[in-house]
Amino acid sequence: LSLSLSSAHHEPRAQIIVFDCELPILPGSKFTFHQQQTAQPCRVLKLISTLDRATGEILKRAPRCVTRNSNAVVELQLDGAVCAETFRESRDLGRLLLRANGKTIAAGIIVEILN
């Protein structure tokens, strides 16, 4: 695996597991994106789908929100570039956490790099 400046990305698509959060995740929700030793402010651009936790099948396309204890695919927009790869390419660089107000809201993997 060789990383270059072209490996710095701003818009990953991620499959996340939402933990016990107080408010649902909506487009425009702001979080801190954590990956390895990197922390970047980010926001949810788009909710792509919700998934069945057991099978991974798509339950709903373009949901209005994602609630606690759900699996979802979301598009994120980071304020700065991070060195990231898809989980398939690099297990370490493909993992992420979304945090807000000192709490971990969701964990997941990067499934696609958009930009």
Side-chain angles (χ1 to χ4, degrees):
L1 175 70
S2 67
L3 300 175
S4 64
L5 285 177
S6 63
S7 296
H9 303 290
H10 292 278
E11 293 184 10
R13 180 175 286 179
Q15 180 179 335
I16 60 171
I17 298 171
V18 180
F19 301 131
D20 189 25
C21 60
E22 297 172 12
L23 298 172
I25 296 175
L26 303 166
S29 297
K30 294 184 180 187
F31 299 103
T32 303
F33 174 94
H34 289 269
Q35 179 222 19
Q36 298 273 17
Q37 300 296 319
T38 305
Q40 280 289 338
C42 75
R43 69 183 183 94
V44 176
L45 275 182
K46 191 176 187 183
L47 303 175
I48 306 299
S49 61
T50 55
L51 307 172
D52 182 85
R53 287 186 82 147
T55 64
E57 288 182 30
I58 295 174
L59 296 176
K60 186 173 184 181
R61 293 191 187 278
R64 295 170 85 185
C65 67
V66 179
T67 57
R68 68 178 69 180
N69 301 321
S70 299
N71 278 13
V73 176
V74 298
E75 284 182 18
L76 302 171
Q77 181 178 38
L78 307 177
D79 285 358
V82 296
C83 187
E85 296 294 335
T86 63
F87 186 74
R88 254 182 293 131
E89 293 173 1
S90 172
R91 295 175 67 92
D92 291 330
L93 294 176
R95 290 188 173 105
L96 65 100
L97 290 174
L98 296 178
R99 293 180 52 92
N101 301 323
K103 295 181 182 177
T104 302
I105 303 300
I109 60 172
I110 297 172
V111 293
E112 186 179 352
I113 304 292
L114 301 172
N115 206 359

